[in-house]
C-alpha cells in the first residue's frame, strides 16, 4: 500500500509517518519511483509499536529509537538485555545520593549491581518523598518491594526462550507497556479499598 | 529571610521562585517594603513540596496547582478527596474504548464507578498493549490486580484520621510520590529475578 493507505490503516497522519521515517524509527518502504514507496504489514506493526511506546509508555522519540535498536539487534545475553532496556528508558537526571536506596535494597536481600541506573531512579524517587516531607508508614516500602518482587518473578519466569525475537519483544514491551497498567490498577484498587474503609455516596 | 535566603536554603533559583509566585503555586511573602518580602519555614516546606511534585512525581505546573488547591482546601469527604486527587493528575486523553478494562475490573470484583477517569487510564494502557501486539501471559493481569490491591488496602488502612490536613497530605503525596518508587522497585526486582533465572556475568 502507499503511505496514504498506511495512514488509513493505522490512523496515524501522513505527516507523522514521514516524521518517523526521517527520524529513522520506521524503516523505508520499497521504492516504486523516485517519489513513491510501498508499505506492508511489517510497517503497520512497527507503526503500532512506535505509537504504543510514545503514547501509553510515555517515551521520548530518542528513547523509542534506542528501544527499537535493541529490539532490532538484541544480542545473545538475556540478563544484559534487561539492563539495556532499562538504561534506554531512564530519565536523564543528576546522580542523587543513593544511601537510602541502598539501605532499602539491602533489607530486601536482592542482588543488584551497585551502580545500576535503576538504583539512581529509586534514589531520586525516595529523595522526592523526603523533599516533600512524606514519611511512608513503618514497613510500607518493604511491603512494596516484596509485592513487586512476586510480580517481577512471575514476569521473568514467563520470558519465552524459544526465539530471541520473542524474548526481546516480551522483555521490552512487558517492561515498558505494563507500567501504565500497574499505575492505573493501583489507583483503581485504592478506590475499591477507600470505598470499603470510608464508604461512598449511594448512587441510584 | 529574603528571597535570596529562601533560594539558598532550598536550592531553588530565585528566578524559579519568582515564577512559582507569579503562577500562584507559592503564597507571597510578608511585604516589608514595596520591593522586599520576607519568607519563612512555611515557604520552605511549600517549595520542597512543589519541587517534589514537579520532579519525581512528574506533574505539570497546572496539575501541581490543582493538587495544591486540594491540599489547601480538602473538604470533608475522604472518599471524594481520593477521586479529586486522581482527577487532578490524569493525563488529558481521548476517551478510549473501556470494554477490556471493564472486563478485567469485573473479574477482580472491585466496586468502581463506571465512568471513573482511572478506568479511562486503564483502558488507554490496555489499548497500548493491544496496539503493540503484546499479550500478557495468561492470568498475569489478574495477578497484577491482586498484588496491587493488597498494597492499596495497606495504603488506605494507613490514612491518618486525626486531622484533615494529615489525611490530605498522606493521600495526595502517597498517591503521587509513591508511583516512581513503585516503578523503580519493579525494575530492580526484575533485575534480581532475571539474575536468578539467567545468571549474570561474573564481576570482580
Amino acid at each position: 500500500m502507499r503511505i496514504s493507505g498506511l495512514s488509513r490503516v493505522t490512523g496515524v497522519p501522513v505527516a507523522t509517518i514521514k516524521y518517523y521515517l526521517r527520524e529513522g524509527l520506521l524503516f523505508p518502504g520499497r521504492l516504486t519511483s523516485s517519489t513513491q514507496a510501498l508499505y506492508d504489514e511489517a510497517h503497520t506493526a512497527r507503526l503500532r509499536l512506535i505509537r504504543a511506546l510514545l503514547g501509553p509508555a510515555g517515551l521520548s522519540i530518542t528513547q523509542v529509537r534506542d528501544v527499537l535498536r535493541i529490539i532490532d539487534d538484541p544480542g545473545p545475553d538475556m540478563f544484559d538485555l534487561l539492563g539495556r532496556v532499562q538504561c534506554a528508558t531512564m530519565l536523564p537526571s543528576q546522580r542523587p545520593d543513593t544511601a537510602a536506596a541502598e539501605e532499602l535494597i539491602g533489607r530486601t536481600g536482592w542482588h543488584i549491581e551497585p551502580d545500576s541506573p535503576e538504583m539512581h531512579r529509586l534514589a531520586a524517587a525516595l529523595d522526592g518523598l523526603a523533599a516533600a516531607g512524606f514519611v511512608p508508614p513503618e514497613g510500607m516500602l518493604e511491603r512494596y518491594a516484596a509485592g513487586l518482587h512476586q510480580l517481577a518473578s512471575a514476569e521473568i519466569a514467563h520470558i519465552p526462550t524459544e526465539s530471541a525475537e520473542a524474548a526481546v519483544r516480551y522483555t521490552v514491551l512487558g517492561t515498558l507497556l505494563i507500567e501504565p497498567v500497574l499505575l492505573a490498577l493501583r489507583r483503581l484498587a485504592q478506590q475499591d479499598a477507600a470505598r470499603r474503609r470510608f464508604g461512598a455516596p449511594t448512587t441510584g
Side-chain angles (χ1 to χ4, degrees), chain A:
Chain A
M1 69 196 120
R2 300 206 183 145
I3 198 166
S4 57
L6 184 61
S7 167
R8 205 166 40 246
V9 169
T10 58
V12 179
V14 169
T16 307
I17 296 176
K18 287 185 174 166
Y19 173 66
Y20 296 155
L21 286 165
R22 279 198 307 278
E23 290 289 325
L25 304 183
L26 187 65
F27 31 84
R30 187 164 52 80
L31 281 178
T32 54
S33 76
S34 61
T35 57
Q36 282 211 334
L38 288 182
Y39 301 87
D40 58 20
E41 290 71 39
H43 291 91
T44 313
R46 180 76 156 205
L47 208 42
R48 293 217 161 99
L49 176 56
I50 294 168
R51 298 293 276 188
L53 291 171
L54 286 171
L59 301 191
S60 68
I61 289 279
T62 310
Q63 289 175 323
V64 170
R65 194 188 351 249
D66 289 345
V67 167
L68 291 174
R69 209 169 277 157
I70 296 170
I71 289 185
D72 292 337
D73 182 17
D77 181 340
M78 278 307 299
F79 181 76
D80 177 60
L81 173 71
L82 186 69
R84 283 163 60 213
V85 172
Q86 294 190 342
C87 272
T89 55
M90 280 292 296
L91 301 175
S93 71
Q94 321 91 304
R95 311 203 136 210
D97 176 13
T98 57
E102 277 166 23
E103 212 222 319
L104 172 60
I105 294 302
R107 288 202 297 280
T108 64
W110 300 349
H111 200 105
I112 301 291
E113 292 292 330
D115 212 39
S116 158
E118 295 303 325
M119 282 298 280
H120 294 269
R121 184 164 152 156
L122 177 61
L126 294 176
D127 266 4
L129 296 185
F134 180 78
V135 181
E138 180 77 23
M140 197 67 208
L141 291 176
E142 290 77 4
R143 283 191 74 156
Y144 289 132
L148 290 164
H149 196 278
Q150 280 189 8
L151 295 174
S153 297
E155 290 167 339
I156 298 292
H158 278 105
I159 294 181
T161 49
E162 72 270 14
S163 82
E165 202 228 322
V168 171
R169 266 191 83 78
Y170 177 88
T171 307
V172 174
L173 303 184
T175 297
L176 298 176
L177 296 180
I178 290 295
E179 291 189 348
V181 175
L182 293 180
L183 297 185
L185 280 173
R186 173 175 177 242
R187 290 188 175 204
L188 288 164
Q190 287 178 332
Q191 280 185 26
D192 182 70
R195 181 183 298 268
R196 285 172 207 267
R197 179 166 177 201
F198 299 109
T202 49
T203 51

